[in-house]
Amino acid sequence: MPHKIGFVVVSSSGHEDGFSARELMIHAPTISGWRSPRFCQFPQEIVLQMVERCRIRKLQLLAHQYMIPSRVEFYISESLPDYFTPYQAERFRRLGYVSLCENEMTGCKARELKSVYVDAVGQFLKLIFHENHVNKYNVYNQVALVAVNIIGDPADLSDESNIASREKLIDHYLGHNTEDPALEGACTRKSDYISPLDDLAFDMYQDPEVAQIIRKLDERKREAVQKERYDYAKKLKQAIADLQKVGERLGRFEVEKRCAVEKEDYDLAKEKKQQMERYRGQAYSRLQLHGLLDAELMQRPCGLPLEPLVHPGNPHHQPPALSPPPQDPAGIENWVAEPILQDQLSSRSPDTSQQPTSDRPLPATHPHLRTHLQSLPYDERPLPAVHRQPEAAAVEPENGAMDVSEAPRGATAGEAEPLTEKALREAGSALDALGEALVAGAYSKTWSYREDALLALYKRLVEMPVGTPKEDLKNALRASVFLIRRAIRDLVIPVFQASLKLLKMVITQYIPKHKLSKLETSHCVETTVPVLLTRTGDSSARLRVVASNFIQEMALFKDIKSLQMIPSYLVQPLKANAPTHLAMSQMDLLARLLKDLGTKDTGFTVDNVMKFSVGALEHRVHEVRDAAVGIILGMYQQHQALILDYLPPDGSSTRRNILYKTIFEGFAKIDGRPTEAEIRAQKKAATEEAEKQKKEEIKALQGQLAALKEMQVEGQEKESEAMKAKDPDAQGRKAAPPSAPGSPDTHCLDNLCIFCGERSESFTEEGLDLHYWKHCPMLTRCDHCRQVVEIASLTEHLLTECDRKDGFGKCYRCSEAILKEELPRHIKTRDCNPAKPEKLANRCPLCHENFTPGEEAWKAHLMGPTSCTMNLRRTHVLHKPAALPPGKGPATTKSGTSGPKVGSKIPTPKGGLSRSSGRTYTKR
């Protein structure tokens, strides 16, 4: 049968200080394993030598949580090369490789246990580690291995095992066999069976000393089954199950003690050490009490807790001889005390003295007396277990995880112990209805008797006939509920589960079958649910889950659902000193039942749920507060406005509390409204967009202003040439001294708008910029590209120059620019005013009217008293102060070819107002 193979580390390519590859030879909860050097070269190698040549059946690797190699290769060899070097692999045969996950799903907090089934023969195993997975924790690019396990068979015994199997087959047919083949499979003695005790997970989570005891008890259990001593095998099976829980807990204590030492918290380390000693002594004393612990089992493992070179299942295995009595005085005292312990046990359990002599284990003492007695000072030596009081030895453990407090089922023969006076007074009504034998079993100190009593009661209630008088039915029901309530408090999980099974049968079968009233159902709920709720706060996670699931299932029973009783228990306010597990279980149950039942005629109302949840927001544990937030958000999805009445108003002061901020933002998401963070982000984006657009407009305006200045200079030059041509004395005046700075001849174009002819002292460079942008009645802004263009050339701008010119088309009737998606409808309706030829009339793109042709007609149409009604800038012209009469001020001048203009003596240049000049201005 494959078993664990011991090995030693022959060589490794390197290691970090304190993390040698020799750490892999030890399997224990506190082992750190091997680590490669920092920033090492890959691949890294480790060579292992097994204690003998064997056939490997299974390899196990326990990877580090974040120093994870991407791939591990396996090589095997019969022997090492003559000149062995870490990278020489001529004699090694490649078996394959395994890939390890990056561990991102767990946040690099869990370790991966990889198991590989192989079939290879050899004595040397080489592991090659490739480059590591990159993560934020592995800053030095290292790879690590916490543990490695090899399971196989000795390769040299294959022939002998075949001979043994042939002889066994012959003996079977001759009737001389001592082992039943039918039991061989039950004993897990198949040729390819691998015991769970040889698995790497067993050693890495078990206390090494307890692990050795479990393995020896498992060997005795197999021998007991082969000898058909089933009662003894049953005791050993239960003891193994209980010891596994003890070993796991001791392993956790050891890890906590090691962490405390690393943090130099020596008070905590001492406390953990004492706690381990007490718990270990309590467990061993229970095993001694029931005759399951002897001197052979109490031998502590060596420095390396490895399996012996020859496995117990090996035909060559010989049981170790008992060590002689110790020679020191303390050891003599212990050996003298052992017969006294046996006498006390035999006097307390007369049935055990009738067992065969082979069933009696060897005497033993307290484990600490055998292991630590010589190393401890005299004052600190623990007392032998023989001096413990019988009552103290029979006390149940504090935690349900340690079930070795009582004898397993079948450990002792006979009935349960008689009831005490207190129990007789307490269970008087139950005695009358159910009988003394059943109640005594329910009150027994042996958990198997308590479980058997509940199962017997279950059978009695199921078989109770329908015609039984109602009074007897009610009495039996109330007595059963009394025992159920007591069993729910039991620390032993099988007894607790039996009580739940009995309670479910009573509610779903017994009461409906005999048509008992709802009063009896209410009695069951009132008696059991409060106790069940307290069990949801138990330290055992398994028990918490079982209790919570049963309460949820119980609340959905048809007869209990109509009573609406369980919801009233769940909305009771949390106590300030309530345990964390209890508060979390109550919150979880409330959330689950709200989904299952709702708030309509179920016992849950908006009022009681919200009052409970708002009160839970003040709990000291953040997990409870987070659960309360989840319940409030779930209630808001169903009732919305009603929920706001139980919360403070939404404001900046309220949102300073992170819980209320989370709640109100959750409300916003449920309603589809943006949250406060989203609103801030939107405002910031809008502000940035506005600033960007403003800068673009200023840039475009500056370009337009430059074009206007260029046009103004051109207009001044043309005006000067025209005046020179009309005045023959202009040449004679060239030699005259320049006029005064304030003369209108020199600064005739200063502070002047060349489009509308308006002059103002405010028309500086920036003032003209503003005038063109907002007030000039001859100009307008394109709604699509935001450029300033002449109204006379707006249609041509939309068709040829605008950024969105591709979206416009020209109507053949009115000759105006129309959006292409509206152009078919525009043409079809024929509502537009037909345009006349350009020589006959001008066409206004604002009011869509035809008027007199010519450049001056545009000024009259856009700026006159009866100007275009669609020109929004004409109000600026109408409210402008009246112009001075001709010749009364500096604004008068001689008539030009274009006539006088309002507020200006300079006539409008012919070329300055043309459409071509406007287009040039727009382009620039």
Side-chain angles (χ1 to χ4, degrees):
M1 183 175 69
H3 59 272
K4 198 169 186 177
I5 302 295
F7 62 86
V8 294
V9 176
V10 176
S11 67
S12 66
S13 54
H15 63 84
E16 185 180 358
D17 292 342
F19 298 94
S20 171
R22 297 187 180 275
E23 293 283 331
L24 299 175
M25 299 163 58
I26 305 173
H27 294 166
T30 57
I31 293 303
S32 301
W34 166 81
R35 289 186 189 179
S36 68
R38 297 181 177 182
F39 301 113
C40 60
Q41 297 292 328
F42 290 99
Q44 292 285 305
E45 289 189 3
I46 296 178
V47 178
L48 309 178
Q49 179 181 1
M50 290 165 278
V51 295
E52 57 184 336
R53 183 175 178 271
C54 63
R55 180 181 296 275
I56 302 177
R57 300 301 180 93
K58 184 178 181 181
L59 294 173
Q60 290 183 300
L61 300 178
L62 183 60
H64 196 268
Q65 59 266 30
Y66 59 87
M67 298 182 186
I68 309 170
S70 58
R71 189 172 64 176
V72 180
E73 293 187 72
F74 300 96
Y75 291 82
I76 195 169
S77 174
E78 297 284 348
S79 61
L80 290 176
D82 296 335
Y83 300 99
F84 178 76
T85 59
Y87 297 99
Q88 187 173 355
E90 289 80 0
R91 296 190 182 183
F92 282 93
R93 180 169 58 89
R94 187 174 185 270
L95 299 179
Y97 71 92
V98 294
S99 299
L100 300 176
C101 68
E102 298 180 357
N103 209 8
E104 292 181 354
M105 298 295 294
T106 64
C108 295
K109 294 181 180 179
R111 295 173 175 176
E112 181 181 5
L113 176 62
K114 183 73 74 173
S115 299
V116 184
Y117 290 89
V118 297
D119 188 4
V121 178
Q123 191 172 0
F124 294 89
L125 180 69
K126 178 161 63 174
L127 308 178
I128 298 181
F129 301 87
H130 291 266
E131 290 185 354
N132 61 290
H133 288 299
V134 179
N135 56 66
K136 62 181 180 180
Y137 302 103
N138 192 0
V139 295
Y140 301 114
N141 293 334
Q142 296 173 273
V143 294
L145 185 64
V146 179
V148 59
N149 190 29
I150 304 174
I151 298 177
D153 292 318
D156 300 333
L157 299 178
S158 57
D159 297 336
E160 298 180 9
S161 60
N162 293 334
I163 296 173
S165 61
R166 289 195 297 270
E167 293 177 354
K168 183 177 180 181
L169 183 63
I170 295 173
D171 290 341
H172 170 63
Y173 282 103
L174 293 177
H176 298 157
N177 60 320
T178 58
E179 299 179 0
D180 189 355
L183 296 176
E184 189 171 355
C187 298
T188 64
R189 298 295 297 274
K190 297 179 181 178
S191 60
D192 57 347
Y193 175 79
I194 299 176
S195 173
L197 304 182
D198 291 332
D199 195 271
L200 183 59
F202 176 78
D203 280 325
M204 296 305 296
Y205 295 100
Q206 287 284 339
D207 178 74
E209 181 179 337
V210 176
Q212 293 288 60
I213 295 176
I214 290 175
R215 286 192 175 95
K216 294 175 181 178
L217 288 178
D218 184 69
E219 181 184 353
R220 290 185 181 182
K221 183 189 70 173
R222 292 197 300 266
E223 294 175 356
V225 172
Q226 293 172 1
K227 297 178 181 179
E228 298 186 359
R229 295 168 54 193
Y230 300 123
D231 289 340
Y232 186 55
K234 191 174 184 180
K235 290 171 59 178
L236 292 171
K237 176 184 176 182
Q238 183 64 37
I240 290 172
D242 296 339
L243 275 176
Q244 286 181 349
K245 300 175 184 178
V246 173
E248 291 177 3
R249 190 170 183 183
L250 288 173
R252 289 196 300 269
F253 286 158
E254 182 66 29
V255 173
E256 293 172 359
K257 185 184 73 174
R258 182 70 61 87
C259 294
V261 171
E262 292 177 356
K263 296 178 181 179
E264 298 187 356
D265 188 354
Y266 300 117
D267 293 335
L268 179 59
K270 181 179 179 181
E271 179 183 351
K272 290 296 178 182
K273 177 184 176 182
Q274 294 173 351
Q275 191 175 6
M276 289 177 61
E277 298 296 334
R278 287 196 302 269
Y279 191 65
R280 191 189 302 272
Q282 187 181 19
Y284 290 170
S285 63
R286 304 297 184 229
L287 292 176
Q288 288 178 347
L289 178 65
H290 304 299
L292 298 176
L293 201 64
D294 55 20
E296 180 184 356
L297 295 180
M298 290 306 300
Q299 293 176 354
R300 284 186 181 259
C302 302
L304 300 180
L306 301 173
E307 287 296 306
L309 301 184
V310 183
H311 191 264
N314 193 335
H316 295 282
H317 172 65
Q318 295 180 359
L322 295 178
S323 57
Q327 300 300 323
D328 59 283
I332 297 174
E333 180 182 356
N334 295 340
W335 277 79
V336 172
E338 288 169 0
I340 303 176
L341 176 62
Q342 292 298 317
D343 295 340
Q344 289 184 357
L345 295 179
S346 61
S347 63
R348 292 182 57 198
S349 303
D351 296 329
T352 58
S353 62
Q354 299 175 3
Q355 296 179 358
T357 307
S358 59
D359 289 354
R360 295 183 181 177
L362 295 174
T365 60
H366 195 281
H368 309 299
L369 294 176
R370 282 197 181 275
T371 57
H372 297 299
L373 191 58
Q374 297 178 0
S375 60
L376 292 177
Y378 180 80
D379 295 338
E380 297 183 8
R381 293 180 184 176
L383 294 176
V386 68
H387 297 299
R388 294 173 59 90
Q389 296 295 330
E391 292 79 11
V395 174
E396 294 183 3
E398 297 180 0
N399 193 303
M402 182 179 172
D403 294 337
V404 297
S405 58
E406 298 160 346
R409 299 165 64 179
T412 57
E415 299 179 353
E417 60 271 18
L419 294 171
T420 61
E421 291 294 333
K422 179 182 178 182
L424 289 172
R425 291 193 302 268
E426 185 181 279
S429 59
L431 288 171
D432 298 336
L434 303 177
E436 184 176 357
L438 196 147
V439 176
Y443 272 80
S444 175
K445 294 180 179 180
T446 304
W447 69 265
S448 59
Y449 289 157
R450 299 198 298 271
E451 183 183 10
D452 290 340
L454 294 175
L455 297 178
L457 179 57
Y458 180 95
K459 184 177 180 181
R460 178 188 295 189
L461 294 180
V462 168
E463 296 175 352
M464 190 168 288
V466 178
T468 307
K470 293 288 185 181
E471 192 64 27
D472 294 342
L473 293 173
K474 291 180 181 180
N475 293 336
L477 173 64
R478 292 183 177 263
S480 301
V481 171
F482 172 79
L483 296 182
I484 290 172
R485 176 185 173 89
R486 175 182 172 82
I488 289 175
R489 295 194 182 99
D490 204 296
L491 299 177
V492 182
I493 292 182
V495 180
F496 175 73
Q497 291 176 333
S499 67
L500 298 185
K501 179 181 178 181
L502 178 59
L503 177 60
K504 182 178 180 180
M505 186 275 298
V506 168
I507 296 173
T508 59
Q509 300 180 27
Y510 183 81
I511 294 177
K513 175 182 177 181
H514 299 286
K515 298 180 180 180
L516 299 179
S517 63
K518 289 187 177 181
L519 183 64
E520 305 303 327
T521 307
S522 302
H523 175 72
C524 292
V525 175
E526 293 173 352
T527 307
T528 57
V529 170
V531 186
L532 273 173
L533 284 173
T534 59
R535 298 313 304 271
T536 59
D538 197 89
S539 58
S540 172
R542 175 186 173 190
L543 196 147
R544 290 198 304 270
V545 172
V546 172
S548 298
N549 292 339
F550 184 81
I551 293 175
Q552 182 183 10
E553 181 184 5
M554 186 178 178
L556 299 178
F557 290 160
K558 180 179 178 181
D559 295 334
I560 296 179
K561 184 179 179 180
S562 60
L563 295 176
Q564 303 179 10
M565 296 181 65
I566 293 181
S568 62
Y569 289 104
L570 297 179
V571 294
Q572 295 295 325
L574 294 174
K575 296 181 181 179
N577 57 349
T580 303
H581 292 315
L582 181 61
M584 282 301 301
S585 298
Q586 185 173 346
M587 299 295 297
D588 180 63
L589 267 174
L590 177 60
R592 286 191 288 173
L593 286 179
L594 276 174
K595 293 180 180 179
D596 295 338
L597 300 176
T599 56
K600 185 177 181 181
D601 299 331
T602 59
F604 289 125
T605 63
V606 176
D607 183 70
N608 59 22
V609 173
M610 285 304 300
K611 287 182 178 179
F612 171 81
S613 301
V614 172
L617 292 176
E618 307 297 330
H619 199 271
R620 56 185 174 83
V621 182
H622 71 90
E623 289 90 350
V624 178
R625 299 194 296 268
D626 294 342
V629 171
I631 292 175
I632 292 174
L633 294 178
M635 292 290 292
Y636 185 80
Q637 287 181 336
Q638 301 177 6
H639 306 283
Q640 292 190 349
L642 296 177
I643 304 303
L644 299 178
D645 297 337
Y646 298 90
L647 299 173
D650 185 8
S652 58
S653 59
T654 304
R655 285 181 178 260
R656 291 175 184 173
N657 188 325
I658 188 64
L659 292 176
Y660 286 113
K661 181 179 179 181
T662 304
I663 290 172
F664 286 118
E665 289 186 352
F667 290 170
K669 290 182 180 179
I670 293 172
D671 296 337
R673 297 181 284 108
T675 62
E676 185 178 356
E678 293 173 348
I679 292 174
R680 287 198 300 268
Q682 292 175 0
K683 288 183 178 179
K684 184 178 179 181
T687 304
E688 292 176 353
E689 183 65 24
E691 291 292 336
K692 182 179 179 181
Q693 186 176 359
K694 184 178 179 181
K695 291 180 180 179
E696 291 177 354
E697 291 177 355
I698 292 175
K699 185 177 180 181
L701 196 59
Q702 289 174 347
Q704 295 173 9
L705 183 60
L708 287 174
K709 288 182 178 180
E710 184 179 351
M711 292 170 58
Q712 185 177 8
V713 172
E714 293 176 358
Q716 289 177 358
E717 292 176 354
K718 292 181 180 180
E719 184 73 18
S720 177
E721 293 175 358
M723 292 183 66
K724 287 179 181 180
K726 292 180 181 180
D727 191 356
D729 297 333
Q731 299 293 331
R733 289 197 296 269
K734 287 183 180 180
S739 58
S743 172
D745 294 335
T746 306
H747 301 285
C748 60
L749 294 179
D750 290 345
N751 310 118
L752 174 69
C753 174
I754 64 172
F755 294 102
C756 65
E758 180 181 356
R759 183 184 294 275
S760 174
E761 295 296 333
S762 63
F763 284 179
T764 60
E765 184 177 350
E766 292 80 6
L768 279 173
D769 189 357
L770 181 63
H771 174 73
Y772 294 149
W773 187 250
K774 290 188 175 181
H775 303 302
C776 184
M778 299 296 293
L779 305 177
T780 186
R781 274 187 292 178
C782 176
D783 294 334
H784 304 283
C785 65
R786 309 301 295 173
Q787 288 189 10
V788 177
V789 297
E790 286 186 81
I791 297 175
S793 61
L794 178 60
T795 299
E796 192 171 356
H797 166 78
L798 292 174
L799 293 174
T800 60
E801 298 173 352
C802 183
D803 294 341
R804 294 188 57 189
K805 62 183 179 181
D806 295 336
F808 287 91
K810 186 175 182 180
C811 175
Y812 70 92
R813 295 181 71 250
C814 61
S815 301
E816 293 188 19
I818 308 296
L819 289 172
K820 287 184 178 180
E821 56 264 24
E822 298 179 2
L823 185 60
R825 183 181 59 82
H826 174 82
I827 296 174
K828 185 177 181 180
T829 55
R830 304 177 66 85
D831 291 339
C832 59
N833 184 20
K836 294 181 181 181
E838 187 176 356
K839 294 182 179 181
L840 300 179
N842 289 328
R843 176 77 176 188
C844 179
L846 302 181
C847 64
H848 314 296
E849 295 293 338
N850 300 319
F851 56 91
T852 308
E855 297 289 345
E856 294 296 330
W858 276 106
K859 294 183 69 175
H861 176 72
L862 295 174
M863 299 174 56
T866 58
S867 60
C868 178
T869 57
M870 301 302 295
N871 187 6
L872 301 179
R873 298 187 179 189
R874 69 191 182 92
T875 57
H876 176 72
V877 180
L878 296 178
H879 292 83
K880 180 172 64 173
L884 292 173
K888 296 295 182 179
T892 60
T893 185
K894 296 180 181 180
S895 301
T897 56
S898 300
K901 294 191 294 187
V902 178
S904 175
K905 67 177 182 177
I906 302 176
T908 304
K910 290 291 183 179
L913 293 175
S914 66
R915 290 189 179 89
S916 63
S917 64
R919 289 195 296 273
T920 303
Y921 158 73
T922 304
K923 289 180 181 179
R924 296 187 181 182

